[in-house]
Amino acid sequence: NAGVTQTPKFQVLKTGQSMTLQCAQDMNHNSMYWYRQDPGMGLRLIYYSASEGTTDKGEVPNGYNVSRLNKREFSLRLESAAPSQTSVYFCASSSGGVGYTFGSGTRLTVV
Amino acid sequence: KNEVEQSPQNLTAQEGEFITINCSYSVGISALHWLQQHPGGGIVSLFMLSSGKKKHGRLIATINIQEKHSSLHITASHPRDSAVYICADNTDKLIFGTGTRLQVFP
């Protein structure tokens, strides 16, 4: 099925641990995004990639790194997880800023 | 940065009622998205519009660029419409409102 696939769906980390959230899309979209969603707040952009080989910071990039491995894949890494990074993370892709498709989300808890 | 605000934050309705969700923004935009987030968390894009009105089934989205305002209407609401509805400024990268939680009761 065409779409955006995120893994894992759930994760619990201890403070200081690292992990990588994976995202892959099969729609040949140029642009990919990572958002976080916190209670009472709208989704906020962490990082985005306008095309293969480029990445840029969004609104809340601190504590995260990203890699646009190829056109399909865009990963988000937490090097040293903190409780403030407890959130739901969404990956999305689009073609020229239209037709956004979202992954199903990753619920991350940092204890 | 554009401020995107939605009202109401929460909305309850009886099945069959006409629903209106409002979205206003502080800076002129080129396009606006309406999205639906299901209770399970998945997010689906409903509409992208830059002027006028769009209709898809029982959903109607309107936008008034001069007044910096958009509305999402649901006609003949149904319990399966229960979800969070989110508007987002699509001028550059998406800037999201905080969402309107809709519950439709039988």
Side-chain angles (χ1 to χ4, degrees), chain B residues 41-79:
Chain B
I43 299 173
V44 175
S45 178
L46 298 174
F47 297 102
M48 189 183 79
L49 67 165
S50 55
S51 65
K53 176 166 63 173
K54 286 192 175 181
K55 184 176 188 291
H56 181 69
R58 295 180 293 106
L59 301 178
I60 303 166
T62 64
I63 190 167
N64 185 317
I65 295 293
Q66 288 74 26
E67 294 187 3
K68 299 186 178 64
H69 182 268
S70 177
S71 293
L72 177 69
H73 305 286
I74 305 174
T75 63
S77 59
H78 189 276

Side-chain angles (χ1 to χ4, degrees), chain A residues 57-68:
Chain A
K57 295 178 180 179
E59 183 183 354
V60 288
N62 291 344
Y64 306 96
N65 285 300
V66 290
S67 295
R68 184 74 182 266

Side-chain angles (χ1 to χ4, degrees), chain A residues 37 43 48 59 90 97-98, chain B residues 1 37 41 48 90 93 96:
Chain A
Q37 185 178 39
L43 284 90
Y48 67 98
E59 183 183 354
F90 288 94
V98 298
Chain B
K1 179 190 166 185
Q37 186 168 24
M48 189 183 79
N90 192 38
K93 269 67 69 184
F96 294 84

Side-chain angles (χ1 to χ4, degrees), chain A residues 35-39 44 64 83-89 106-110:
Chain A
Y35 297 93
R36 60 178 288 172
Q37 185 178 39
D38 300 296
R44 292 180 293 168
Y64 306 96
S84 61
Q85 293 179 303
T86 293
S87 188
V88 181
Y89 293 84
T106 297
R107 188 172 296 273
L108 174 67
T109 302
V110 183

